[in-house]
Amino acid sequence: MTDLVIRQLSEHDAPLFHALPDAGLVGHARFDRKYVTVADGGTYRPEWTRVALRGETVVARAAWWGGPDDAEPVALDWFDFTDHAAAVELLRTAPFRADYVLLLPPGWEQEPAVAQAARARTDAVLAAGMTRLVDRFHYVWTPECGVPEQPGRLTFRPEPDDAAILAILGCIQHGTLDAHARRTIEATGYEAAAQEDLDFFRWCPSPREWWRTAWTAEGELVGLHVPARNHTAPIVGFIGVLPEQRGHGYAYDLLADCTRMLAAEGAERIVADTDFGNRPMAANFAKAGYPVTQERSYFQWPKGPEAAGPAGAAA
C-alpha cells in the first residue's frame, strides 16, 4: 500500500480539500455548507485543516473551526474519508483536541446510505480515541414559525453585574441535564461549569445588554435567559431555571421571551440545541414552534494524561 502522508494545508493549496470524493450524506456538506477559507471570505483557516494522501490521492480530510479571535479551534467541523485507517491516523496525529460535531438529518437511521456514512465516521473517531458525549436536537426558528405566546407570569430585567450572573449560573448548574455542563462539573466542579457558560456568553459577539434575569410577580428570582449571536447566526444562548423554581414550566416562559427579543432585533432565523435526554426542554422547543432541522452527535477527547497522543493537547 502506498505510504500515507498527512499534512496541513495552506492558502495556496486549500482547493485540495475538495479533491476528496464525498456524497454529502452527512456533516456540513449535507446541509449545503461550504469549506471556504478566511482569505476567500469564509471562516476556515488552512492551518487548522489537514488532509491525508496516498500518493497524489486525498483519502481523508478534516477541518477545525474557531471564531476570528480564537487562538485554537473550538470544534472539528469536517471529517470525511475514503480510507478508514488514514482517517484515524489523521485525527490521532493532529495537534487539536476540540469536540467533533457530526451533523445528521432528522430520522437519519431510516436512510441506509446515511446511516452507513454516520456509522463510518463514528467508528473512525472512536478508533482515534474520542468518546461519544451526547446527541442533540438542533432547531431553527424562522418568522414563519411565529413568535411564541408569552404567558405573562414573569418579568425580565437586565443584569449588568457579571458577578451576579455567575452566581445565578452556579445555582442553575445543580441538577442540570446538559451533558457539556455535567462533563465540566464532574471534572472541576459547579463553579467551573458556571464560568464556562459565562465565558461562552462573552465569546459571542452580541450585546451584553441582551442578557435577562426572570422574576415572579412576588419578586422571586426564577432564572436566566441569554439571547445571543454566535459568529454565524442569532441563537438561544442559554435557558436556565433555578432548582427551587423547577416544575412550573418556567423554561418555556424564558424561551418565549428570548425568542421575542431576537425577533424584535430582526432575526430571520434563530438556532438552538438541546440534549436528547433533556425531554422537558425539547418539549418547550416544540411548544414554542421550533422545528427540529438536524440531529447532532458530539464526540470528545478524554481529559487528563490519558488524552495525550502523538501531538499532546490542543495547540
Side-chain angles (χ1 to χ4, degrees), residues 262-276:
L262 290 171
E265 292 291 332
E268 292 297 317
R269 60 192 299 267
I270 302 169
V271 300
D273 296 272
T274 199
D275 295 5
F276 279 12

Side-chain angles (χ1 to χ4, degrees), residues 64-80:
W64 287 260
W65 178 88
D69 299 322
D70 289 327
E72 58 186 50
V74 298
L76 171 58
D77 276 6
W78 295 80
F79 179 54
D80 311 294

